[in-house]
Each structure stands twice: as structure tokens, then as C-alpha cells.
Amino acid sequence: ISQDNIRNFSIIAHIDHGKSTLADRLIEKTGMLTSREMQAQVLDNMDLERERGITIKLKAVRLVYESKDGEKYILNLIDTPGHVDFNYEVSRSLAACEGALLIVDSTQGVEAQTLANVYLALEEDLEIIPVINKIDLPSARTDEVKREIEDVIGIDCEDAPLISAKEGLNIEDVLEAIVNKVPAPTGDPKAPLKALIFDSYYDTYKGVICYIRVVEGTIKAGMEIKMMSTGKTFEVTEVGVNTSKHVVLDELCAGDVGFVTASIKDVKEATVGDTITDKNNPTKEPLSGYKEVVPMVYCGIYPAEGEDFNSVRDALEKLQVNDAALVFEPETSAALGFGFRCGFLGLLHMEIIQERLDREFDLNIIATAPSVIYKIIKNDGKVLEIQNPTDMPPLTEINYMEEPIVKASIMTPTDYVGAIMELCQNKRGTFLNMEYLEEKRVVMHYELPLNEVIYDFFDALKSRTRGYASLDYELKGYEPSNLVKLDILINGESVDAFSLIVHEEKAYERGRTIAERLVDVIPRHQFAIPIQAAVGSKIIARETIRALRKDVLAKCYGGDISRKKKLLEKQKEGKKRMRQIGAVEVPQEAFLTVLKYD
Ligand code: GDP
Ligand code: MG
């Protein structure tokens, strides 16, 4: 099949608008899989992802479609993740395409991530094909949503396929639109090799599998290739495409999408966005847009009591093999012992890793509060970048500090504008402007400190707007800020795992909340325990856990013995999950409840 009959496309959508469901239908309708082979949502292949409904890892599938004009086409469907944390990966997978299906849920309309994805697609010069989904639902507002797409995004919706991905209605229209509207790829198959890596993951048998778009030239087994960002070279073992399984081919040419393996041992040597070229006949310039992924959010991860440090390290190493964006290094905490400082793309990425440690490795871990990177400008002019509160130098050495600020767009029905303004103000936000999308929907632009966004912003937004508002953000830069280190003292001893860097204005509120929660979770002892929140040497909040009066067994004195036994066992069980801080036993769950953002 010639280049003219290839179509490379992605599906972009706000979460839950039906991207995965449509992908299933397209795969089904092109007959590449039998329905027996067809698992629900073929493209999302990690369990966790399926449950959360979020695509994390990109994948490409080759479909063969015979169109109404009687010609055969190769359709390469490239899946993209749908969350702000993974925007760079989205942009690289879009760069591998000529077109994108823009799915909009006809009961919801345009949302923050619909727009964010459209901007990314426009940056890559893609042909955008609007597709209106969920028309089977009685609450569908098809005409209104079409008008909204035209007004807000400025693309014509006259011929937009109106579909139900769930019921398989009008899927043929989507396939025809792909064939007729998405441009065929161009590029000289005889030129020096230039291929974009838009996804890579580690496979135990084959090493790293890179998903690539060949932009120029040809790649085949036996060829020596070079990664242009690192200069590392490898010999190609296999090239091929994914249909229902890996299919090995002789070569991939300009315009093709497929995979390549080359005994690469580490995903860090084949990172998303990098350009592959021919070692012996290299291209002059790499493809544009390569970015090193930098973690934005950090937290400490510690083995829970009874859990082994080494097994946590092994698990993190295994996860890292498939996740070039995850970074970690050992650290120690006085309260929690030996653990790791881990860096993530964002909060969702952090939650996914924490959940995978639990589910896939069956590990009990304690995670400290998430933090961002702060810049400290010291009196001697030196600039320090820290993300761990315990690394903060004494106030006397600090000239000033800076924190990262993001530009946020919040889309919402007009009913919630007041509630959102209040929330953003409370989160130290700066209002920029507000635009009407239609009569009853607006987009609000704010600048917000990232440290507030990662705390509980997303949940607060959802609960104040009953789930109707959507959020997208990008880093703007660093700005000076009055930040302080908040310490929590239990029985006079500072507990490093509870320390936080917060804005001066927030210190009291946060300190008091933590102290109050600790009073609830730390059991009474034989003596009274003061819980204090402090900034420097100044105590800003204080609570007391009163001393225990009676023995736990006293109340069943003379009572039946089995109940007594049960109580003792319960106490023993509880003891195992305690952390000793000075003379105080702090239950493990204290670390979880206190750091929970709500
Ligand atoms: P994604 O997050 O964009 O991948 O969305 P999914 O494909 O996972 O779909 C989100 C939810 O919407 C799922 O519960 C789907 O079953 C449902 N859904 C998708 N398409 C349709 C549709 O055409 N009609 C109806 N009624 N539900 C749909
Ligand atoms: Mg999905």
C-alpha cells in the first residue's frame, strides 16, 4: 500500500467523552480482531488505567479499512493519554499524526481538556475532525454542542459525524471522514532516517519497545541506529506493527507508524520525543519539540512497619523501567526511617505510582505530603532548589524564596462562578479574566501557586461545582513568595515527616488542622501529650491529648475472658503498626490521615 493510502490519526477528548469506546468500535469495524479477541477497551491495557478510565501509556494500532470508494487504506490509530500530567506525551503522539478525531460528548459540550488537546493538535498542524458522541442519550444536546464547538474552537461541524460509540451507531461515517479528510503522510523513504519516538516501554523479552513515526527514510532490522538526544547507538532487532498482536515487518518507511526493538535495556535510552536516525547516514537536524521530562511534584515514600526497604526499592526500580518520568533517590527520615524521595509529573502520576506499589507489588507504604520545587535565594546570592522541607536552610540565611506558578483555565457553567472565585482566592490565586463560551458557560483564567493546586484544589473544585467544572494548567514560571517551614511537634519533638513548606498566610490554618487531626488519631498515653505547630521557634497552634485514666482492661474486669483476649489481641495488632516518636506511640495511619488533603 502506497503512502497515499496511509492515514495517521489520534483521538482527542476530555476524560469520559468516549475515546476508548470509539477506539474499540473502530477496531471492531475494521475487522482486525474477532469479537472473541476483543476485550473491552483494547487500547487501555493496564488494569489500573481501565478502572480509572485514564489512558496512561500510548499505543498504536494498525487497522485496514476498505472505504466506499473501493480502495484499501491503512489507518494507524495512535492513542493519547488524557490528563494534564501527561501533556508532553500527548503532544508527541499528536506529532506522529496528520489528523485527530475530536470527540465531544453531546451531553457535556466542550471542556477544559477538550480545549487543551485542541491547542496541542493545532500546534502540530493537524486536521481536526469533530465527532459528536453519545447521541443515544436522551440528554444529548447535539445542535447546541455543535454550535459550541464552532463558536469556541472555530471548526465547522456541519459534516461532523453524530455517533454513539457505545451502540456502534454511525461509526462508518467516522472511518470515511478519516479517509477523506486526514491528509496522507509525506516524506522521502530514501532520505536519511528520521523517526520520532512517541512511546516506549520495557518488555522482559525484547527490551525496550519504541513506538515510532517514520518521518523520513526507512528503518529495518540489522540497521545501526542512533538516538539523537544521547548519541547512544543500537542495532535494530525487529520492526513491525501492532494489529491484534505484534506483526514483524521487513521495514518501516516514511509515513509509517510502528514499533522498533534494538536490545535497549532502559527506557531512559529511548525517551518520548527523541529522534532516531541512521548511525552511518545520519540526518542533520533532529525533529523539533524534544523536551526532557522534569518532575513537578515530589514526595517521600517509606516502607510501612514490617515492610522491607529493599522490596520498596526493587518495586520502584521495576516501575521506573517503564516510566522514564519517575525519579527517586534514597533518603532518611527521623520519624519514618529509610525511604525514598520520588519525583512525578503531577499529582495523578504520583497517585498512580502509589497505587501500583500497593496493587502490583502488594507493598504497604507511607507517603509524605506532596511538595513542589522551591527556589531559595540565599543572602550570599547562591540559589538553592529544594523540594524536601527538611532541606530548607535556617531563615537567617535566606534572602527570599520563589515558588512555581501555573496558568489555570477553569471551564464551568455560570452558576458556579462565585464558588470558584472564592476557592481561587482562598488558594492565593490571581484572577486574569473570564470569557463566555456560550450563554451559560465560561472559561476563567487564573494564576495559581502550584503548591496550592497539588494540595486539594482539584477535589475542592469538583465538590464545589458538583463535578461540572474542569481544569487545565501549565507552568508559567517562578515568583517570589513569603514561604515558611511549618513543623509539627509531638510531645516537644519535631517530626520531620510532617514538615511542610507553606505560604505564611496558610501556616496557622494548616498547622491547626494537622494538630486537630493528630489528636484524633493518636491514642491516649499514661501522660498528656502536647501537639504543637511551629514556624521557626514560634508556636502557632497547640492541642493536647489528655492522659489515659483507665486501663483498657478495667472495663471488662470480671467480664468474660474471651472479650479480654480479643482486646489484648487488638492492642497487639495495633502496636505492630505504631511508630515510636520519643515516648509517644504514633499509629501508622496518623501519617496517612494527617497528610490527606481534604
Ligand atoms: P474516555 O475516558 O474518553 O476513554 O471514555 P470511555 O470510552 O471510557 O467512556 C466513558 C464512559 O462513557 C463509559 O462508561 C462508556 O461506556 C460511556 N460511553 C462512551 N460512549 C458512549 C455513547 O455513545 N453512549 C453512551 N450512552 N455512553 C457512552
Ligand atoms: Mg479511555
Side-chain angles (χ1 to χ4, degrees):
I1 288 185
S2 78
Q3 230 181 25
D4 286 346
N5 288 23
I6 298 176
R7 299 291 181 272
N8 298 315
F9 71 103
S10 286
I11 307 178
I12 55 179
H14 190 77
I15 284 173
D16 283 344
H17 282 205
K19 189 173 80 175
S20 303
T21 313
L22 177 61
D24 285 357
R25 287 299 93 76
L26 294 177
I27 292 166
E28 215 174 49
K29 281 281 187 291
T30 48
M32 294 305 294
L33 298 179
T34 65
S35 51
R36 192 172 47 86
E37 287 172 312
M38 183 85 190
Q39 243 183 333
Q41 313 208 334
V42 181
L43 287 179
D44 298 11
N45 57 357
M46 293 203 293
D47 279 352
L48 192 68
E49 229 179 293
R50 200 167 299 175
E51 268 173 44
R52 287 173 169 258
I54 293 166
T55 308
I56 301 158
K57 269 290 156 198
L58 314 165
K59 278 264 149 33
V61 184
R62 173 178 284 206
L63 316 169
V64 177
Y65 175 61
E66 199 175 315
S67 74
K68 286 185 181 153
D69 62 15
E71 293 225 27
K72 267 199 178 152
Y73 290 86
I74 286 178
L75 310 183
N76 290 310
L77 163 54
I78 293 162
D79 200 20
T80 60
H83 190 275
V84 282
D85 284 2
F86 304 101
N87 257 3
Y88 177 63
E89 294 194 2
V90 177
S91 84
R92 291 309 83 203
S93 57
L94 293 177
C97 303
E98 278 76 31
L101 300 176
L102 171 69
I103 307 203
V104 181
D105 183 333
S106 58
T107 68
Q108 303 290 325
V110 174
E111 298 196 57
Q113 262 148 54
T114 316
L115 261 195
N117 281 312
V118 165
Y119 292 144
L120 293 175
L122 290 175
E123 267 169 45
E124 302 303 328
D125 273 332
L126 302 193
E127 179 69 31
I128 297 175
I129 301 171
V131 175
I132 317 287
N133 190 29
K134 306 199 188 180
I135 60 160
D136 59 295
L137 293 174
S139 52
R141 301 179 285 121
T142 308
D143 289 332
E144 237 174 279
V145 167
K146 272 165 90 169
R147 228 175 306 125
E148 187 178 313
I149 297 172
E150 290 182 342
D151 291 349
V152 177
I153 303 173
I155 40 179
D156 187 6
C157 286
E158 202 183 305
D159 303 327
L162 308 178
I163 69 163
S164 165
K166 192 170 164 193
E167 314 213 313
L169 196 71
N170 299 337
I171 304 304
E172 189 96 359
D173 293 351
V174 179
L175 289 162
E176 287 296 316
I178 295 167
V179 164
N180 295 320
K181 297 206 168 136
V182 176
T186 54
D188 181 0
K190 295 199 179 65
L193 177 65
K194 202 178 237 194
L196 169 72
I197 301 177
F198 61 86
D199 187 23
S200 65
Y201 69 92
Y202 186 81
D203 177 275
T204 332
Y205 301 104
K206 301 189 170 189
V208 175
I209 298 182
C210 306
Y211 278 85
I212 59 163
R213 160 67 192 272
V214 185
V215 177
E216 275 169 15
T218 299
I219 185 168
K220 54 177 95 178
M223 212 168 137
E224 283 191 284
I225 51 168
K226 186 166 87 177
M227 302 298 174
M228 292 187 81
S229 76
T230 59
K232 287 229 165 93
T233 61
F234 302 93
E235 187 184 314
V236 175
T237 335
E238 264 177 16
V239 300
V241 294
N242 264 352
T243 57
S244 55
K245 43 188 169 298
H246 271 31
V247 176
V248 175
L249 299 177
D250 291 339
E251 57 182 27
L252 293 172
C253 301
D256 279 334
V257 168
F259 67 80
V260 50
T261 59
S263 309
I264 304 167
K265 290 280 167 277
D266 188 342
V267 277
K268 290 207 161 52
E269 294 179 330
T271 52
V272 169
D274 203 353
T275 303
I276 299 180
T277 194
D278 185 344
K279 182 192 161 198
N280 300 311
N281 181 21
T283 181
K284 286 196 195 78
E285 292 274 322
L287 295 158
S288 63
Y290 177 73
K291 260 203 315 207
E292 221 167 302
V293 286
V294 276
M296 296 250 277
V297 174
Y298 289 80
C299 79
I301 288 185
Y302 289 85
E305 198 62 46
E307 207 62 83
D308 180 22
F309 171 81
N310 287 320
S311 44
V312 175
R313 187 183 48 213
D314 287 350
L316 284 170
E317 272 169 3
K318 286 205 176 97
L319 289 174
Q320 198 180 39
V321 154
N322 265 322
D323 189 344
L326 170 68
V327 300
F328 65 91
E329 58 180 38
E331 72 169 4
T332 34
S333 148
L336 299 174
F338 292 102
F340 299 91
R341 198 74 194 167
C342 302
F344 311 92
L345 294 174
L347 263 199
L348 178 73
H349 187 211
M350 179 181 93
E351 282 171 19
I352 288 168
I353 295 294
Q354 291 177 2
E355 238 174 281
R356 291 185 69 183
L357 287 171
D358 175 24
R359 287 205 210 182
E360 290 167 36
F361 298 91
D362 203 17
L363 287 172
N364 265 315
I365 55 150
I366 297 176
T368 64
S371 170
V372 299
I373 297 181
Y374 299 97
K375 287 188 183 164
I376 297 179
I377 293 80
K378 302 210 324 185
N379 288 326
D380 60 9
K382 288 210 179 86
V383 180
L384 215 63
E385 293 196 352
I386 64 156
Q387 32 82 7
N388 190 341
T390 57
D391 293 337
M392 190 153 151
L395 284 173
T396 50
E397 290 177 22
I398 299 175
N399 183 0
Y400 66 95
M401 285 178 74
E402 291 186 343
E403 67 176 328
I405 306 289
V406 298
K407 280 188 159 174
S409 334
I410 302 163
M411 285 202 178
T412 176
T414 44
D415 297 352
Y416 304 110
V417 166
I420 292 172
M421 286 188 152
E422 196 188 299
L423 173 68
C424 288
Q425 199 150 358
N426 193 254
K427 298 295 179 186
R428 303 189 282 125
T430 309
F431 177 76
L432 298 178
N433 59 48
M434 181 166 93
E435 294 165 67
Y436 275 83
L437 300 173
E438 48 175 340
E439 203 184 325
K440 293 203 126 329
R441 268 160 58 84
V442 293
V443 54
M444 304 166 74
H445 298 283
Y446 268 94
E447 282 182 10
L448 288 156
L450 181 60
N451 116 340
E452 299 287 346
V453 175
I454 66 165
Y455 182 56
D456 66 348
F457 188 81
F458 198 62
D459 291 341
L461 182 70
K462 286 286 167 198
S463 76
R464 281 174 192 225
T465 63
R466 294 196 288 138
Y468 279 111
S470 52
L471 168 75
D472 185 62
Y473 62 85
E474 59 180 12
L475 192 64
K476 182 197 165 215
Y478 277 76
E479 285 178 12
S481 175
N482 279 331
L483 299 160
V484 294
K485 183 172 162 223
L486 175 69
D487 293 312
I488 303 295
L489 288 74
I490 296 181
N491 205 23
E493 246 183 84
S494 168
V495 183
D496 59 357
F498 289 143
S499 292
L500 288 173
I501 292 174
V502 294
H503 192 266
E504 204 178 16
E505 275 171 22
K506 298 273 168 180
Y508 169 72
E509 182 193 311
R510 293 283 292 278
R512 204 191 51 195
T513 314
I514 295 178
E516 279 170 359
R517 287 189 193 173
L518 283 174
V519 170
D520 286 343
V521 290
I522 298 177
R524 290 192 190 180
H525 284 55
Q526 304 292 344
F527 48 93
I529 306 167
I531 311 279
Q532 296 158 305
V535 170
S537 56
K538 195 169 148 212
I539 304 296
I540 57 171
R542 185 196 161 103
E543 298 279 335
T544 307
I545 301 174
R546 282 180 296 140
L548 196 62
R549 272 194 230 113
K550 292 191 210 107
D551 187 87
V552 253
L553 293 182
K555 59 177 158 246
C556 34
Y557 182 75
D560 83 273
I561 189 80
S562 73
R563 174 144 185 251
K564 230 183 232 177
K565 255 194 194 149
K566 247 191 212 143
L567 262 173
L568 280 171
E569 264 163 35
K570 217 170 147 192
Q571 219 180 28
K572 225 166 75 192
E573 179 72 13
K575 272 240 169 59
K576 271 199 305 207
R577 288 195 234 101
M578 292 283 182
R579 292 273 174 172
Q580 193 76 33
I581 293 175
V584 182
E585 291 193 321
V586 178
Q588 194 134 291
E589 56 157 318
F591 294 92
L592 303 176
T593 34
V594 166
L595 301 172
K596 268 240 159 58
Y597 12 84
D598 66 18

